[in-house]
Amino acid sequence: MSSKDIKLGVSLYSYQEAIWRGDLDLEGALTAVKGCGATGVEIFGEAIIPSFPYISDDFLYKWNYMLENLELEPVCYEHFADRQFWNDPDKYLDDDAIFDVTMQYLRSAKKLGCKFVRMSHTGHNGIWGSNDIRHQTVNAEVFARLLPYAEELGVKMALEVHAPGLLEDGGNDDFLDAIEKTGCYEGGGLMLDLSGCFRDFSPMQAQEYVKRGANPDIIAYLRQMSRKAYTYDGNNDVDWEEVKARIIEMGAGEVELGILDMTMGHGPLTNRLISPPSVVEEYASKLIYIHGKMHWINEDCTSDEIDYHRYIKALARGGYKGYISTEFEGQRSVPHTLNEVEFVRRQHILMRECLAECEAEGI
Amino acid sequence: MELKKVERKSSFKRPVKAFDKMSDFDNGRYNPLLLHNYGRNIYRKGQKIGYCLDIRIPGYRGLPINQIAKLAFEVDGKWIDDDCKYIWYDGKDFPISAIGTGRFDNEWMWKYQDYLRVFFEIPGGIDQGIHHVKYGIYLRDHYSTTALCEKDVTIV
């Protein structure tokens, strides 16, 4: 195990608004990746590649030139598997069609030099999801059929586990079973999205509650309790009934009380669904890729949302070998007001600091 | 191959709205840049046959045209019926009712950076000037994206 095996990348998803507005073209986005100190890139065909779903020779020529010039490595190609394209609600793409669509993504990933495809799959939110086939993406049966082809192409299908799903909730057992039964261990594996590791709101989210009429003191208190409960340092007992009584005493209204029941789709604050560092350490050697999801990094390059120091240490201790690719998503809550390049830059400073700490401690 | 069964619990409520009025888009993701600042009347032999607005796709990726489920507009407080809406895009023009019928290939994309021109066939067009426009979109993608934009648009 060594922190030197952990590399840092950026998903171009992070610059989605700058790309959408035309402020950054592909070369600009890749230059931003290089500039923040990352070495790997994740690409979205639907946002970046003019000939999508195909990769034209013209695009490939430019892509390869830019990567070589910037000394960047292609890491991951994003995959989607929508089934509904018709007004008739009973008409949808069947599993054979989803297989064909996904094969195209795998071939494209190979062409682009990516080692992974971030798979849109039914285990994306772990045990949470739809049992209605029209709203499903790649299911375990299709995944099993794809595994030998992915293995042959040398592209791994990364099964992203995203909040409210958890690595340990069993929601991907059918997919892991498919890997076992086919024996195609090089065809796919689990990937973690750091949305499953949030201990606190972002300052932006806290501001949003205040804008909606919440008392800032109550928000500060709830954040303090959230961090206490979800830091998992052995001192994490919080009596949520006591917290509720206290905020009522402080004058809590609908907004503040609502936070206790549901926040950010990651489960209620009183039972936030996150994988603690100990679980991430246990799974680390089995993970093939990581999305460094974040909504905000403070100006001093610290994070309220995630305890990066503990999680990166857990990954290094657990033997994770691979990329953590930034997935900045804060812009989606407050369109066209955040500087995506700046937030990615700050996160990379923070992650490099964590890796340096690991190295200093001999991890 | 018999695989281990995983029963998933439903965590998402999918919209059951008809999206036939602007208020159905109220909980959508607001994006102030989804509408172009300018629109234009369309003339034939000197006569206005309708007018156009240019719109953009919400979210973080381009999507097949067939994933457009609803495009809703209110101009100066007046709802625009689907019957008069046409799409002009990528060298094609067609009534909005042609989307999702199988007429177009699912690989035909509304590209991420592109404006899509929507033509309203309304004889006489609209007076040149500043008009208040509300635009709502509902997409069929598996996230069921709903978005909206409201702004003053200068129509020439």
Side-chain angles (χ1 to χ4, degrees), chain A residues 20, chain B residues 31 33-34 55-64 68 109-116 135 137 139 147:
Chain A
W20 187 83
Chain B
N31 183 334
L33 304 182
L34 284 181
I55 58 169
R56 294 197 65 180
I57 194 165
Y60 50 84
R61 57 176 174 145
L63 285 172
I68 299 172
M109 304 288 288
W110 179 2
K111 291 192 168 75
Y112 188 55
Q113 287 93 349
D114 279 2
Y115 279 98
L116 190 80
Y135 153 50
I137 181 168
L139 297 164

Side-chain angles (χ1 to χ4, degrees), chain A residues 13 16 19-21 44 46-47 50 52-54 80 82 84-87 93 120 122-123 125-129 131 135 137 140-141 144 170-171 173-175 177-178 181-182 332-333 335-336, chain B residues 1-12 14 29-34 56-64 66-68 97 99-102 106-107 109 111-113 140-143:
Chain A
Y13 176 94
Q16 59 183 267
I19 292 167
W20 187 83
R21 288 191 304 261
F44 265 64
E46 289 92 332
F52 178 86
Y54 307 101
F80 294 94
D82 297 300
Q84 293 184 288
F85 297 88
W86 294 273
N87 297 330
L93 290 189
S120 269
T122 54
N125 295 118
I127 51 162
W128 304 95
N131 291 306
H135 305 145
T137 49
E141 287 73 26
D173 284 357
D174 43 356
F175 288 86
D177 193 33
K181 290 205 170 115
T182 56
R332 284 165 61 78
S333 306
H336 310 292
Chain B
M1 186 186 307
E2 194 64 29
L3 297 173
K4 203 177 263 185
K5 289 280 169 231
V6 172
E7 269 305 307
R8 293 190 171 81
K9 304 172 193 176
S10 187
S11 63
F12 305 112
R14 306 192 79 82
R29 200 176 282 278
Y30 184 77
N31 183 334
L33 304 182
L34 284 181
R56 294 197 65 180
I57 194 165
Y60 50 84
R61 57 176 174 145
L63 285 172
N66 280 331
Q67 287 213 334
I68 299 172
S97 57
I99 296 172
T101 60
N106 289 334
E107 289 182 351
M109 304 288 288
K111 291 192 168 75
Y112 188 55
Q113 287 93 349
R140 291 186 237 273
D141 67 323
H142 64 273
Y143 296 110

Side-chain angles (χ1 to χ4, degrees), chain B:
Chain B
M1 186 186 307
E2 194 64 29
L3 297 173
K4 203 177 263 185
K5 289 280 169 231
V6 172
E7 269 305 307
R8 293 190 171 81
K9 304 172 193 176
S10 187
S11 63
F12 305 112
K13 286 206 167 57
R14 306 192 79 82
V16 285
K17 298 168 181 168
F19 295 103
D20 56 1
K21 53 187 174 305
M22 282 319 299
S23 57
D24 284 353
F25 295 86
D26 282 352
N27 292 325
R29 200 176 282 278
Y30 184 77
N31 183 334
L33 304 182
L34 284 181
L35 261 172
H36 200 291
N37 289 333
Y38 285 82
R40 66 187 62 183
N41 277 289
I42 300 296
Y43 285 81
R44 187 172 295 151
K45 295 190 183 214
Q47 300 301 312
K48 284 193 270 191
I49 58 164
Y51 64 99
C52 289
L53 294 172
D54 294 332
I55 58 169
R56 294 197 65 180
I57 194 165
Y60 50 84
R61 57 176 174 145
L63 285 172
I65 293 284
N66 280 331
Q67 287 213 334
I68 299 172
K70 292 281 176 187
L71 284 180
F73 296 89
E74 211 177 80
V75 179
D76 299 327
K78 192 170 178 275
W79 175 259
I80 311 283
D81 286 329
D82 275 355
D83 294 351
C84 73
K85 286 178 202 156
Y86 292 78
I87 304 293
W88 294 359
Y89 181 65
D90 198 19
K92 295 185 174 73
D93 72 274
F94 51 90
I96 199 167
S97 57
I99 296 172
T101 60
R103 177 167 156 188
F104 306 118
D105 195 287
N106 289 334
E107 289 182 351
W108 185 38
M109 304 288 288
W110 179 2
K111 291 192 168 75
Y112 188 55
Q113 287 93 349
D114 279 2
Y115 279 98
L116 190 80
R117 179 156 287 176
V118 185
F119 169 60
F120 305 124
E121 191 179 45
I122 299 173
I126 195 166
D127 289 344
Q128 177 166 305
I130 300 165
H131 297 272
H132 193 69
V133 179
K134 289 183 185 174
Y135 153 50
I137 181 168
Y138 174 48
L139 297 164
R140 291 186 237 273
D141 67 323
H142 64 273
Y143 296 110
S144 299
T145 308
T146 309
L148 74 158
C149 179
E150 178 177 357
K151 71 199 300 187
D152 286 338
V153 175
T154 304
I155 302 182
V156 297

